[in-house]
Amino acid sequence: MIDVDAGRGDRMALAVLTQHRMATTEQMHRVIAPEVRIEQTRRRLARLRAEGLVDRITLPQAGRSRVWFPTPYGVQLASAWPEMRGHRPSRTVSDPTAVRLKAGHTLTLTETALAFLEDARRHGKLCQPLDWIPEVHHPIGNGEAVIPDALMYYQRGPADGDRGPMLWAFVEVDRASMGPEGLAAKLPA
């Protein structure tokens, strides 16, 4: 077999943006390439933008942070990859105005995913960037469902083999859509 990268880093960057919906340049750097200089991540994102796979907005607040998001073409391409099978394509935000209006909550979710990912890396545990799946629909009957902000997979044992159980957890970053009593009543169902 020929050992060629063939865009593996670009592929991961697009998959992460498709899965997480949006991320700042710094967040993307921390997810896909924390071991290299951030300029490499900036160049990668600029290349994906030039190819029409991602786009960006600049937030006027927050130090003029750039927020990257996949284009409809980028989502279509990434959704066909084997590593994305079984992952429902997100209700992607591909309009710059919609990205700006949803940035606060979505970037907070991305930061929460990063906290788990970076902790796993520090402790040699297995948690990959695509192990964080936003808004997974869990029907509970009678037309009702629980839709947490994210579903996360995390292996408690070392990352170098099958040394522990694979855990999964619902993650809810805020309770804006349902009060604690309603959520507590739905979870046992």
Side-chain angles (χ1 to χ4, degrees):
M1 180 158 72
I2 300 172
D3 185 22
V4 176
D5 181 336
R8 185 174 41 216
D10 291 353
R11 185 179 176 117
M12 177 55 78
L14 181 57
V16 165
L17 281 175
T18 299
Q19 185 88 331
H20 292 257
R21 297 188 177 110
M22 67 179 80
T24 65
T25 304
E26 180 198 0
Q27 287 174 330
M28 284 299 293
H29 179 67
R30 290 166 51 204
V31 170
I32 64 171
E35 69 286 350
V36 301
R37 297 181 60 192
I38 195 167
E39 288 77 20
Q40 291 182 12
T41 301
R42 286 186 184 112
R43 283 193 300 273
R44 179 180 310 283
L45 291 167
R47 182 173 51 251
L48 292 173
R49 184 175 188 224
E51 294 169 346
L53 298 170
V54 304
D55 204 353
R56 70 172 192 231
I57 63 166
T58 302
L59 296 177
Q61 70 282 16
R64 299 194 48 79
S65 295
R66 286 189 173 158
V67 176
W68 298 89
F69 55 96
T71 63
Y73 175 55
V75 171
Q76 178 186 4
L77 183 64
S79 295
W81 295 336
E83 61 268 33
M84 300 297 285
R85 281 198 193 113
H87 296 217
R88 175 183 57 87
S90 67
R91 288 178 282 161
T92 190
V93 179
S94 57
D95 173 69
T97 302
V99 169
R100 181 179 56 79
L101 294 174
K102 292 185 174 202
H105 182 69
T106 306
L107 293 175
T108 299
L109 284 172
T110 302
E111 193 64 30
T112 304
L114 265 163
F116 285 103
L117 180 63
E118 290 172 336
D119 184 67
R121 287 173 178 164
R122 271 191 303 278
H123 293 97
K125 298 184 182 195
L126 186 60
C127 182
Q128 301 295 325
L130 299 179
D131 291 343
W132 179 269
I133 308 170
E135 295 184 355
V136 177
H137 184 269
H138 299 276
I140 59 172
N142 296 328
E144 292 192 66
V146 172
I147 305 172
D149 284 332
L151 177 62
M152 182 198 67
Y153 295 91
Y154 192 104
Q155 186 173 356
R156 288 182 61 181
D160 61 352
D162 185 29
R163 304 243 189 336
M166 183 63 80
L167 306 175
W168 58 272
F170 290 142
V171 178
E172 187 67 32
V173 173
D174 67 16
R175 295 184 311 230
S177 62
M178 179 182 300
E181 296 84 13
L183 182 60
K186 279 188 172 184
L187 287 177

